[in-house]
Coordinates of all heavy atoms in Angstrom, one line a residue:
Y150 N 122.3 21.7 75.2 CA 122.7 21.8 73.7 C 121.8 20.8 72.9 O 121.2 21.2 71.9 CB 124.1 21.4 73.6 CG 124.6 21.4 72.1 CD1 124.6 22.5 71.4 CD2 124.9 20.2 71.5 CE1 125.0 22.5 70.0 CE2 125.3 20.1 70.2 CZ 125.3 21.3 69.4 OH 125.7 21.3 68.1
L151 N 121.6 19.6 73.4 CA 120.7 18.7 72.7 C 119.3 19.1 72.6 O 118.6 19.0 71.6 CB 120.8 17.3 73.4 CG 122.1 16.5 73.2 CD1 122.1 15.3 74.1 CD2 122.4 16.2 71.8
N152 N 118.8 19.7 73.7 CA 117.4 20.2 73.7 C 117.2 21.3 72.7 O 116.2 21.3 71.9 CB 117.0 20.8 75.1 CG 116.7 19.7 76.1 OD1 116.6 18.5 75.8 ND2 116.6 20.1 77.4
S153 N 118.2 22.2 72.6 CA 118.1 23.3 71.6 C 118.2 22.8 70.2 O 117.4 23.2 69.3 CB 119.1 24.3 71.9 OG 120.4 23.8 71.6
Q154 N 119.0 21.8 70.0 CA 119.2 21.2 68.6 C 117.9 20.5 68.2 O 117.6 20.6 67.0 CB 120.4 20.3 68.6 CG 121.7 21.1 68.7 CD 121.8 22.2 67.7 OE1 121.8 22.0 66.5 NE2 121.9 23.4 68.2
I155 N 117.3 19.8 69.1 CA 116.1 19.1 68.7 C 115.0 20.1 68.3 O 114.4 19.9 67.2 CB 115.6 18.2 69.8 CG1 116.6 17.0 70.0 CG2 114.2 17.6 69.6 CD1 116.3 16.1 71.3
T156 N 114.8 21.0 69.1 CA 113.7 22.0 68.8 C 114.0 22.8 67.6 O 113.1 23.0 66.7 CB 113.6 23.0 70.0 OG1 113.2 22.3 71.2 CG2 112.5 24.1 69.7
E157 N 115.2 23.3 67.4 CA 115.6 24.1 66.3 C 115.6 23.3 65.0 O 115.2 23.9 63.9 CB 116.9 24.8 66.5 CG 116.9 25.9 67.6 CD 118.2 26.3 68.2 OE1 119.2 26.0 67.5 OE2 118.2 26.9 69.3
H158 N 116.0 22.1 65.0 CA 115.9 21.3 63.8 C 114.5 20.9 63.4 O 114.2 20.9 62.2 CB 116.8 20.0 63.9 CG 118.2 20.2 63.7 ND1 119.1 20.8 64.6 CD2 119.0 20.0 62.5 CE1 120.3 20.9 64.0 NE2 120.3 20.4 62.8
Q159 N 113.6 20.7 64.3 CA 112.2 20.5 64.0 C 111.7 21.7 63.3 O 110.9 21.6 62.3 CB 111.4 20.2 65.3 CG 111.7 18.8 65.8 CD 111.1 18.6 67.2 OE1 111.0 19.6 68.0 NE2 110.7 17.4 67.5
Q160 N 112.0 22.9 63.8 CA 111.5 24.1 63.1 C 112.1 24.3 61.8 O 111.4 24.7 60.8 CB 111.7 25.3 64.1 CG 110.9 25.2 65.4 CD 111.3 26.3 66.4 OE1 112.3 27.0 66.2 NE2 110.6 26.4 67.5
S161 N 113.4 24.1 61.6 CA 114.1 24.3 60.3 C 113.6 23.3 59.3 O 113.5 23.6 58.1 CB 115.6 24.1 60.5 OG 116.1 25.2 61.2
I162 N 113.2 22.1 59.7 CA 112.7 21.1 58.8 C 111.4 21.6 58.1 O 111.2 21.5 56.9 CB 112.5 19.7 59.5 CG1 113.9 19.0 59.7 CG2 111.6 18.8 58.6 CD1 113.8 17.8 60.6
E163 N 110.5 22.1 59.0 CA 109.3 22.6 58.4 C 109.5 23.8 57.5 O 108.8 24.0 56.5 CB 108.3 23.0 59.6 CG 107.9 21.9 60.5 CD 107.2 20.8 59.6 OE1 106.4 21.1 58.8 OE2 107.6 19.6 59.8
L164 N 110.5 24.7 57.9 CA 110.8 25.8 57.0 C 111.3 25.4 55.6 O 110.8 25.9 54.6 CB 111.9 26.6 57.7 CG 112.4 27.9 57.0 CD1 111.3 28.9 56.9 CD2 113.6 28.4 57.6
F165 N 112.1 24.4 55.6 CA 112.6 23.9 54.3 C 111.6 23.1 53.5 O 111.7 23.0 52.3 CB 114.0 23.2 54.5 CG 115.1 24.1 54.6 CD1 115.6 24.6 55.8 CD2 115.8 24.6 53.4 CE1 116.6 25.5 55.9 CE2 116.9 25.5 53.5 CZ 117.3 25.9 54.8
K166 N 110.7 22.4 54.2 CA 109.7 21.7 53.6 C 108.8 22.7 52.8 O 108.3 22.4 51.7 CB 108.8 20.9 54.6 CG 109.5 19.6 55.0 CD 108.6 18.8 55.9 CE 109.2 17.4 56.2 NZ 108.3 16.7 57.2
D167 N 108.5 23.9 53.4 CA 107.8 24.9 52.7 C 108.5 25.3 51.4 O 108.0 25.5 50.4 CB 107.6 26.1 53.6 CG 106.6 25.9 54.7 OD1 105.8 24.9 54.5 OD2 106.5 26.7 55.6
A168 N 109.9 25.5 51.6 CA 110.7 25.9 50.4 C 110.7 24.9 49.3 O 111.0 25.3 48.2 CB 112.1 26.3 50.9
Q169 N 110.5 23.7 49.6 CA 110.4 22.7 48.5 C 109.4 23.0 47.5 O 109.5 22.5 46.3 CB 110.2 21.3 49.1 CG 111.4 20.6 49.8 CD 111.0 19.3 50.3 OE1 110.3 19.1 51.3 NE2 111.5 18.2 49.7
Q170 N 108.4 23.8 47.9 CA 107.3 24.1 46.9 C 107.6 25.4 46.2 O 106.7 25.8 45.4 CB 106.0 24.2 47.7 CG 105.6 23.0 48.5 CD 104.3 23.1 49.3 OE1 103.3 23.5 48.7 NE2 104.4 22.9 50.6
S171 N 108.8 25.9 46.3 CA 109.1 27.2 45.6 C 109.1 26.9 44.1 O 109.4 25.8 43.6 CB 110.5 27.7 46.0 OG 110.9 28.7 45.2
R172 N 108.7 27.9 43.3 CA 108.8 27.8 41.9 C 110.2 27.9 41.3 O 110.4 27.6 40.2 CB 107.9 28.9 41.2 CG 106.4 28.8 41.7 CD 105.6 29.9 41.0 NE 105.5 29.7 39.6 CZ 105.0 30.6 38.7 NH1 104.6 31.8 39.2 NH2 105.0 30.4 37.4
D173 N 111.1 28.4 42.2 CA 112.5 28.4 41.8 C 113.1 27.0 41.9 O 113.2 26.5 43.0 CB 113.3 29.4 42.7 CG 114.7 29.6 42.2 OD1 115.5 28.6 42.5 OD2 115.1 30.6 41.6

Side-chain angles (χ1 to χ4, degrees):
Y150 179 66
L151 289 173
N152 284 349
S153 68
Q154 291 307 298
I155 290 171
T156 299
E157 289 165 17
H158 275 78
Q159 286 169 330
Q160 295 171 351
S161 290
I162 286 168
E163 294 305 312
L164 179 68
F165 278 91
K166 281 184 175 179
D167 287 344
Q169 284 180 287
Q170 301 179 58
S171 171
R172 298 181 67 192
D173 184 285

